[in-house]
Amino acid sequence: MYKIIEKQKLSETITKLVIESPRVAKKRKAGNFVMIRVKEGGERIPITIADSDIEKGTVSIIVQAIGKTTKMLCSLKEGEYVLDFVGPLGEPTPIENFGRVVCIGGGVGTAEVYPIAKALRDAGNEVIGIIGARSKDLIILEKEMGEVCNKLYITTDDGSYQGKGFVSDQLQDLINSGMKIDGVYAIGPIPMMKVCANVTRPFGIKTYVSLNPIMVDGTGMCGGCRVTVGGKMKFACVDGPEFDAHEVDFDELIMRNRTYADLETISDKTYEEHVCKLEGVK
Ligand SMILES: Cc1cc2nc3c(=O)[nH]c(=O)nc-3n(C[C@H](O)[C@H](O)[C@H](O)COP(=O)(O)OP(=O)(O)OC[C@H]3O[C@@H](n4cnc5c(N)ncnc54)[C@H](O)[C@@H]3O)c2cc1C
Ligand code: FES
């Protein structure tokens, strides 16, 4: 059992949880994730490690409540527990001194790009950040990203905060302005990562994305997270989750992620409609 030490709501649907797990805190590197099971009989879900504190033995995760399990996780209170917290999993992000790197986070993808931006800054890179969301109230980690980036751009789809448009528009603007870019890390919804890959491809800028296929065990045994990269079959949980963006078959990933859409909708609806008979019992 893993105790929730701290809980903070970052937006209507996004919650930060600080969880006690000294061993994960000690071993994790930027880009690693954990597999979480909230309670007995529940499904396992992968969540990126956003930060850790070795002294306190805690790990921070940032979760967007979009379906049954993430809603259940975000509804837990400080002092409550999650059943399983397995990690650190996945290949750590390749961190080196590239020169000038652009780190892009779309929506909750900002939580995943933040530890990478921090590690790239510590490795001596000049880090340019671009974070975006649909509207102002969905922007997360502005302060944290501002602290690790030499320059931070913010975009909102509806123009309610800073630049109007998509994060990929801002990336295109930087390239058009003649800025020399040595590498790009783009993490967020699949269409966003696909567009960022298309923006950098003509300029030959090395671009990494973090893929989010369905994961079941996170250890390379179930085959659930199969993706095609450079024409070869890869398992995102052990070969990734980060890959060369110009080699990823995004359309196949989108199609495979829809496999359980009907069942996920039913499960989410049932969870929303469920009324716990124990609520209010002292
Ligand atoms: C390596 C990795 C890191 C991730 N990091 C984060 C993170 O830091 N914060 C965050 O909020 N989300 C993260 N996700 C996504 C998160 O795992 C899904 O949102 C979550 O599993 C949805 O579960 P649900 O029951 O709430 O929703 P559902 O209604 O079951 O599903 C909603 C969406 O999530 C996808 N999904 C469902 N189950 C899984 C699964 N087992 N594995 C992967 N995707 C699934 C579905 O394809 C669907 O598009 C990450 C995914 C991966 C693969
Ligand atoms: S999640 Fe099972 S093989 Fe990757």
Side-chain angles (χ1 to χ4, degrees), residues 231-249:
K232 295 199 181 86
M233 189 183 77
K234 300 277 179 190
F235 288 173
C237 68
V238 285
D239 299 320
E242 276 150 35
F243 294 100
D244 182 335
H246 298 151
E247 304 227 302
V248 172
D249 186 338

Side-chain angles (χ1 to χ4, degrees), residues 33 35 213-226 235-238:
F33 65 95
M35 290 298 286
I214 302 241
M215 288 188 181
V216 182
D217 61 356
T219 63
M221 291 201 287
C222 70
C225 67
R226 213 174 69 217
F235 288 173
C237 68
V238 285

Side-chain angles (χ1 to χ4, degrees), residues 33 35 43-48 62-71 108 111-112 210-216 241 257-258 264-265 268:
F33 65 95
M35 290 298 286
E43 66 174 349
R44 291 175 175 79
I45 58 159
I47 299 288
T48 303
I62 295 177
V63 186
Q64 184 168 31
I66 54 165
K68 179 183 171 181
T69 307
T70 44
K71 281 179 186 167
V108 77
E112 301 174 43
S210 181
L211 301 186
N212 55 345
I214 302 241
M215 288 188 181
V216 182
N257 269 9
R258 286 198 194 120
E264 280 157 2
T265 309
D268 188 26

Side-chain angles (χ1 to χ4, degrees), residues 173-191:
D173 286 351
L174 293 181
I175 293 172
N176 292 348
S177 75
M179 179 188 273
K180 182 180 172 294
I181 298 172
D182 303 300
V184 168
Y185 287 73
I187 310 182
I190 302 169

